[in-house]
Amino acid sequence: MSRISVLRLVVGLLLLAVVFESAPALVSGAKSKLHPSQAAVLAVLGKGWGRTFTNCSQASGLICGGNGMVIQMSLNNSQLVGTIPSVIGNLSLLQHLNLGVNQLTGPIPESIGNLTNLSYLGLFNNQLTGPMPPSLAGLSKLQTLTLSDNRLNGSLPDALGKLTALLRLNLDNNSLSGSLPAAISALSLLTYLSISDNLLNGTLPDSIGALSACQNLGLANNTLSGSLPASIGNLTNLVTLGLTNNSLSGRIPASISSLGKLEKLNLGFNLLSGALSNGIRRMTALTR
């Protein structure tokens, strides 16, 4: 056996030894001990939700950092009942919170705004009531906010304009009312905005044209009125535009023909007038 072959064999055996030595650590790391401060919070949450959190593991729906601090809570479709206790705001390093598809009731606690490291917040498909808390403004790292299919009411808070990292916002199927706040124009990174099946009224603000990254805009089944702003033509990345079943009126702005990437356009069941026949020729991606 040549000297090079011997060296290769030795290196291979050393690598194999490292793999076998680290394997037990990986297995034991599947479950990790909760930090005492986190265990105290989870005891309160578990009591209200009928669950017991004894460790941090994917099986329990929790993922922790090396210090035992919870960074992810994924308890969607877990048959949770009751409210969301305010103590949840003490999980200060939480980055991902998914409590969707449960039977949670009551309001979204103000303390949710203390979770300043959150990038994902999903509370969809529950029975949550009350307004969206203004404290949401504190979630400056949030990229996805999904509160659809609840019973939320009240107006959309100007606090939404503070969520400048937001990529996806879904508030469908609630009882949210009032007008679309002009502050929403600050969400320049937003690619998905859907607030269909609510009670929104008032006019569409000109500032909606500032959502230049938006690919999906859904405001169907509300009571929006007034004309479509010409600034809608600035949304040149739009793929889907759904404004059906409102009370929009006036002529369809010619600028809509600038939406060259648009595949789905639904303006039905409004009071709009005018023809699209000329501009539609430039909307080559539109499904006919």
Side-chain angles (χ1 to χ4, degrees):
M1 184 178 291
S2 68
R3 185 175 179 181
I4 293 176
S5 298
V6 171
L7 285 172
R8 286 176 177 171
L9 180 61
V10 171
V11 170
L13 290 172
L14 286 172
L15 288 173
L16 192 61
V18 169
V19 169
F20 277 110
E21 185 177 351
S22 61
L26 291 173
V27 173
S28 63
K31 292 182 179 180
S32 59
K33 189 176 181 180
L34 287 163
H35 188 279
S37 67
Q38 306 291 275
V41 173
L42 292 166
V44 176
L45 295 177
K47 184 177 180 180
W49 294 342
R51 294 177 67 96
T52 302
F53 301 103
T54 56
N55 55 53
C56 222
S57 68
Q58 286 188 321
S60 68
L62 305 177
I63 294 178
C64 289
N67 54 3
M69 301 290 283
V70 182
I71 59 174
Q72 179 170 322
M73 177 180 284
S74 297
L75 297 174
N76 51 303
N77 202 16
S78 296
Q79 300 181 337
L80 302 182
V81 296
T83 61
I84 302 175
S86 60
V87 71
I88 200 168
N90 292 339
L91 298 177
S92 58
L93 297 186
L94 202 60
Q95 300 172 18
H96 182 106
L97 176 58
N98 188 348
L99 301 177
V101 197
N102 284 294
Q103 300 173 46
L104 296 171
T105 57
I108 299 172
E110 282 283 345
S111 63
I112 209 86
N114 297 336
L115 303 178
T116 54
N117 287 295
L118 273 188
S119 62
Y120 178 95
L121 176 57
L123 304 177
F124 53 94
N125 282 85
N126 279 286
Q127 300 168 31
L128 298 172
T129 55
M132 296 174 62
S135 62
L136 287 172
L139 306 183
S140 60
K141 297 179 182 179
L142 200 63
Q143 296 181 347
T144 298
L145 176 59
T146 305
L147 306 178
S148 56
D149 297 287
N150 279 288
R151 301 173 183 174
L152 299 174
N153 55 35
S155 58
L156 296 174
D158 286 335
L160 286 175
K162 302 289 186 181
L163 306 181
T164 53
L166 208 59
L167 302 176
R168 294 179 61 88
L169 175 60
N170 189 344
L171 305 175
D172 286 349
N173 197 24
N174 280 287
S175 297
L176 297 167
S177 57
S179 58
L180 197 65
I184 209 166
S185 63
L187 307 182
S188 59
L189 301 180
L190 202 64
T191 61
Y192 184 99
L193 172 60
S194 194
I195 320 179
S196 295
D197 298 289
N198 277 280
L199 303 172
L200 296 183
N201 52 43
T203 60
L204 287 175
D206 286 337
S207 56
I208 200 167
L211 301 178
S212 56
C214 196
Q215 299 172 16
N216 181 95
L217 176 58
L219 297 170
N221 301 319
N222 283 287
T223 56
L224 296 170
S225 58
S227 59
L228 278 178
S231 62
I232 203 87
N234 296 339
L235 306 182
T236 53
N237 285 301
L238 271 187
V239 176
T240 301
L241 175 59
L243 300 173
T244 187
N245 199 25
N246 279 284
S247 298
L248 298 169
S249 59
R251 297 186 65 82
I252 298 171
S255 61
I256 205 168
S257 63
S258 300
L259 307 182
K261 296 180 182 179
L262 200 64
E263 296 178 5
K264 295 181 180 179
L265 172 63
N266 199 334
L267 304 176
F269 298 97
N270 281 288
L271 304 171
L272 296 166
S273 60
L276 280 172
S277 55
N278 293 327
I280 206 168
R281 295 191 185 97
R282 284 186 280 172
M283 303 166 73
T284 56
L286 201 60
T287 303
R288 293 175 171 81

